[in-house]
Amino acid sequence: MTERKRSSRLLQGTVDLLILKALSSAPSHGYGISKWLRERSEGTLGLEDAALYQALHRLERKGSIQSEWGQSENNRRAKFYEITPLGRRRLVDETGQWRSYAEAVFRVLGTA
Amino acid sequence: MSRLRGIPRHFRFPWRSVREVHRQVDEELQFHFDCRIEELLESGCSREEAEQITHGEFGDLKETQRSLKALGRRHEAQLRRQIMFSEFFRDIRYAWRSLMRSPGFTAVAVLVLALGIGAGSTIFSLVNMVVMRPIQIEDPDKLVGVYSQSLERPDRYRSFSYPTYVDLRQQNDFFEELAAYEISTVGLKQGDTTRRVMAGLVSANYFRTFGIPPALGRAFTVEEETAPHADVAVVSHDYWIARGGDRDILGSNLTVNGRTVTVVGVAKEGFSGSSALFSPVVWLPLGLYSIADSLTGPMDGAGLTDRDNHALMLFGRLAAEFDEASAAPRLAAIAGRLESEYAAQKDQTFITSPLPRLSVSNAPDNESYLLAPVLLLLAMAGVVLLIACLNLANMFLARGAGRRTELAIRLSLGGGRLRLVRQMLSEGLVLSLLGGAAGLVMAFYGTRILLGSINNLLPLGMDVALKATPDWRVLLATLVFCLMATLFSGLGPAWKLSGANVISGLKENAGQGLSGGGKNRRWSPRNLMVLAQIALSMMLLCAGGLFVRGAWIAADANPGFSLRDSVLVELDTSLVGYDESRGREVYRSVLERLRGIPSVESAALSSIVPFGSVTRTRRVRPAGAYDDESAVRSHFYVVTDDYFESLRLKMLQGRGFTASESISDGGTPIAIISEPLAEQLWPGESPIGKLVQLVGSDSEPPPPLEIVGMAPGIRHQLSDQQPASHLYVPFGQNFAPNMHVHLRLDEAAGGGGTAEAAVMQTVRKELRALDPILPLLTLKSYSEFRDQSVFLWLFSSVARIFTGLGLVALFLALVGVYGVKAFMVTSRTREIGLRLALGATPAEILKELVRENLGTTLAALFLGSLLALGAARVADHLIYESQRGVIPILLGAAFVLTLASTLAAYLPARRATRIEPTVALRQN
């Protein structure tokens, strides 16, 4: 349960943003995204895989990403996700927003 | 997904099944677990550790599976809907293009459907207007009529007196509001002329009880309910609009029955009280009761506050915590209390019942009699729609036969059968929607015309509350008709055509399956459909014929008196506020002046007239028999001495009234009785010298009347099949302000319509000279008066509707016959050409084709006759003397249909005989 609490601290929009970023260079399956996030953040995000998959399916429904079944590196059937043009626009927009938000927070913290 | 290059693709159906959705979620998550565990194993974990870590990282697996599956299902459903929608629109677009390629077919098909659907929509609009469209009442379910019922004779009801109304209003705790009203007619002066209009005399809370306050100004106050000088009025919205729709109407003056009243309010648009049919033009407070003559009978000077004067009808809005059942015992308890307190309330209990839609009455009415005609009308409209569908089905078959090659190619190229069926149904839908749109326009104008025709005929200056504007119910019904037409006309042919044998279709003309080759040609589906169409239109034509004939018979049947050479004048002295003595004075001068017109032989007065739209009845019994059970309801006429002479009625026994009896009061009250009434009161005895007692609701009965004469029986209503009961009393002893003058013209003056017209002109001039403000309510020849009676209007309207439906059906059937024959001739061109080449003469070919059609037609007519006889039986009680004249009508309809059908077959057949054998043989 402690794991869950930690993950809920991650804002939903943040998970979406991270997934879009992960898919921005190449299509990948859920496990690949999970692994990429774990390696890039060195495990500090503490994102539950459950939340990751929920977000993936939600993003697909919203049309930010699309999926197709394909062959994985180890020759197994896997569901691959790919970012759509809409998803790319969202990634750019929200990265900008996130950045200005973070800068604002840092400015406040810096002056305190 | 061009970006997924390098990744082998799997074939994906446009949508996935629920099981597939679930399986994919499981597979995706399984893949994740397998990969992660494998990764951890490689990094040196034990399997147990690896599994534990993976599960820890993942979180709640069960919940995730559940929510992903749910999300997936929703996603799929949405996808499916999108695909279906886009395919549907593609079908429609394709159907539209395909139809536009054959404009002739499309035009005829739309016409056929417009007639079929239009007939349905028109009838439905009427039904909707009369029985379905809600009346403008707030929360109508809480509104109930309150009725005063006799305990001894539970089938008898009477109205309430004002004191009883007040008692009931004050003593009950289950009505939020209890309102009282009476419907009356008053003279409304406009400029120089006075018009008779319907008026509502209402309690102060009348508008509030309906929940519909006036749109402008105010309703009546409690003081105005009783104050004798409450000179105020609320006018109807229609009246206000007709007078310019200006706000200045508030505070302006009206002259009602000669009295000046101030307009204080304008009712809300569409407000008509409780009736869906008609609306008062003006509402007056109950305080004005004494100046507004009552419709229900002579007032006998009884005032509003008289406990014996039972004049009011009540309705109430139940309080929130009560319904009819829970209010009933409390209502009965109050009735019981009043019964023990007042003699006038003896034998009366009170009940509630839902307010009727159409009638205004002091007795409950569930209007169940509406069901039969409504169902009959809808059924007839359904039949017309069915004929149109059969017709269209035939056209589809013919068109499909022409497209056999196209269809066969599409089938052999892998176009699914369902796909083809859907395509053809789409064409049907496009056609139906076009036809439905045209049908709606038809329905709108049809109902407008019908309403327009009633407007001039309604008695007593009512406003018609019906509005022809279509509402969502009519739109919805039309849409349903469109869908029904699509399915009925399209499904059969589409299924049949799409199942066509591919090979034979490609070989073209090799098989004649659809056009009916070989010995079964006559009973092919196509011919059967034509047969059904002719049979059904025969039924409708006969039903129309029966109604028309019923109207004729009703109008022509011997009324028992002479209608020829007579003119009817209706006057009402109360409309301009004259009292009894002034009224008598006026009528004396009127008779004097009109008798002075040279071609007038006699002039007489009567309060009501045979074939009029309004009657007054009283219950009568032999005097001395203190048993109201033996009372008989009889038409109650107030007449002058030469009334009988004017109608050419000779006394069977005794004498008529004398001139002095018809002018002056006094002496023994006397009466003349009609033979049917005498037969009922004193069977087999002479009524002369006997005493008859009027049975009233009053506690003190009027003195008995001595019978001085017996007149022959006459019909009173056009719908009466037998002479009715009449009781005549002299004008001298009984005054009524609303009288009719019967003028009998001198036969020597030439008679006929021209003499009547000339006299009417003189009458108008004479009356204007006599009293310029007295309104001339009716001035018609008697035969004209009869022809314009509401009963006859109703009858002829129904006849018109049925005949209209019948003619539409006939037209549709003819289009069907023509279409099938034309198609048959085209598809048999080669056969006919061959036979011509082998020496058959064109005349022989023509004869054979026409004879074939005659066979079908005769079979259809036989079937149609059976249907018509069945319909006549069902409609028996709706049609006047329906038994008479069935046979001639059947024969007439059969003749018309045979002739028309033969002509429809002859035209294409003649084209066949012009076929050039050589050309025909080379054609295929």
Side-chain angles (χ1 to χ4, degrees), chain B residues 522 531 534 817 821 847-861 894 897-899 901-903 905:
Chain B
R522 176 163 293 172
L531 190 141
I534 297 178
V817 171
K821 291 300 151 190
K847 219 172 5 175
E848 188 196 313
L849 287 173
V850 171
R851 197 188 306 127
E852 256 177 40
N853 175 61
L854 207 59
T856 319
T857 307
L858 288 181
L861 292 182
L897 275 167
T898 312
L899 203 68
S901 151
T902 304
L903 187 69

Side-chain angles (χ1 to χ4, degrees), chain B residues 755-806:
Chain B
E756 286 170 350
V759 166
M760 284 193 273
Q761 234 169 359
T762 322
V763 167
R764 191 181 294 278
K765 236 182 296 169
E766 288 288 336
L767 290 181
R768 169 135 305 194
L770 175 74
D771 186 337
I773 66 162
L774 190 66
L776 194 49
L777 300 172
T778 307
L779 177 59
K780 284 171 183 162
S781 75
Y782 211 130
S783 43
E784 195 185 350
F785 177 75
R786 174 201 61 191
D787 292 347
Q788 292 179 359
S789 85
V790 171
F791 168 78
L792 213 59
W793 172 84
L794 202 67
F795 220 96
S796 53
S797 293
V798 174
R800 235 174 290 167
I801 291 170
F802 274 84
T803 317
L805 287 177

Side-chain angles (χ1 to χ4, degrees), chain A residues 31 38 50 68 76 81-82, chain B residues 3-4 28 34 36 39:
Chain A
Y31 170 68
R38 191 155 13 90
E68 191 168 20
R76 283 191 48 180
Y81 294 92
E82 179 199 31
Chain B
R3 295 183 148 263
L4 290 181
E28 183 180 18
D34 291 351
R36 181 64 179 145
E39 188 190 348

Side-chain angles (χ1 to χ4, degrees), chain B residues 9-269:
Chain B
R9 285 163 206 206
H10 294 268
F11 177 75
R12 193 180 190 278
F13 282 104
W15 57 67
R16 303 173 294 170
S17 68
V18 170
R19 195 200 288 176
E20 177 71 6
V21 168
H22 290 184
R23 204 187 55 72
Q24 289 187 356
V25 168
D26 290 338
E27 190 179 355
E28 183 180 18
L29 296 180
Q30 189 61 51
F31 174 78
H32 175 94
F33 274 76
D34 291 351
C35 289
R36 181 64 179 145
I37 289 170
E38 202 172 307
E39 188 190 348
L40 287 167
L41 285 176
E42 273 171 23
S43 68
C45 293
S46 73
R47 175 157 284 275
E48 209 169 307
E49 268 176 333
E51 282 182 5
Q52 207 184 346
I53 292 175
T54 308
H55 273 281
E57 283 172 352
F58 193 89
D60 193 340
L61 177 60
K62 280 242 160 58
E63 171 59 23
T64 309
Q65 280 171 325
R66 198 196 56 76
S67 71
L68 290 188
K69 283 173 184 177
L71 192 69
R73 283 198 304 273
R74 279 206 299 280
H75 187 54
E76 272 322 296
Q78 191 188 359
L79 207 65
R80 205 172 299 198
R81 274 198 300 277
Q82 277 169 1
I83 291 173
M84 267 162 62
F85 263 104
S86 69
E87 290 202 349
F88 174 73
F89 284 112
R90 203 180 53 207
D91 281 346
I92 295 291
R93 266 201 310 276
Y94 186 84
W96 175 261
R97 280 206 304 272
S98 155
L99 287 173
M100 285 305 115
R101 275 199 298 272
S102 38
F105 168 84
T106 307
V108 176
V110 168
L111 176 69
V112 163
L113 281 168
L115 287 172
I117 297 174
S121 299
T122 309
I123 298 298
F124 185 84
S125 302
L126 287 177
V127 170
N128 178 43
M129 244 170 17
V130 177
V131 302
M132 289 168 78
R133 180 179 282 193
I135 303 172
Q136 231 193 51
I137 295 176
E138 193 63 31
D139 192 8
D141 292 340
K142 278 280 173 190
L143 213 60
V144 293
V146 184
Y147 303 96
S148 185
Q149 184 184 34
S150 161
L151 282 166
E152 252 176 61
R153 296 286 305 267
D155 57 325
R156 288 211 181 132
Y157 295 87
R158 71 172 198 206
S159 299
F160 294 80
S161 70
Y162 181 74
T164 306
Y165 159 61
V166 174
D167 288 344
L168 184 54
R169 188 174 67 187
Q170 286 169 351
Q171 293 178 23
N172 86 80
D173 55 356
F174 42 90
F175 283 122
E176 205 177 287
E177 295 282 355
L178 181 69
Y181 72 105
E182 190 199 2
I183 295 296
S184 173
T185 56
V186 296
L188 190 60
K189 192 171 162 201
Q190 294 172 320
D192 291 340
T193 57
T194 298
R195 191 162 69 100
R196 181 169 57 176
V197 300
M198 187 165 138
L201 284 159
V202 303
S203 59
N205 60 358
Y206 176 83
F207 293 95
R208 193 164 60 237
T209 309
F210 278 120
I212 309 289
L216 274 185
R218 62 172 176 89
F220 302 124
T221 65
V222 180
E223 294 73 49
E224 285 161 353
E225 190 174 297
T226 44
H229 292 286
D231 294 334
V232 289
V234 171
V235 296
S236 75
H237 196 270
D238 281 0
Y239 176 84
W240 178 54
I241 294 297
R243 299 298 300 263
D246 205 323
R247 274 193 81 92
D248 290 353
I249 192 153
L250 294 183
S252 70
N253 286 337
L254 288 180
T255 307
V256 174
N257 281 3
R259 176 116 152 205
T260 304
V261 299
T262 308
V263 176
V264 296
V266 175
K268 198 171 164 201
E269 186 172 4

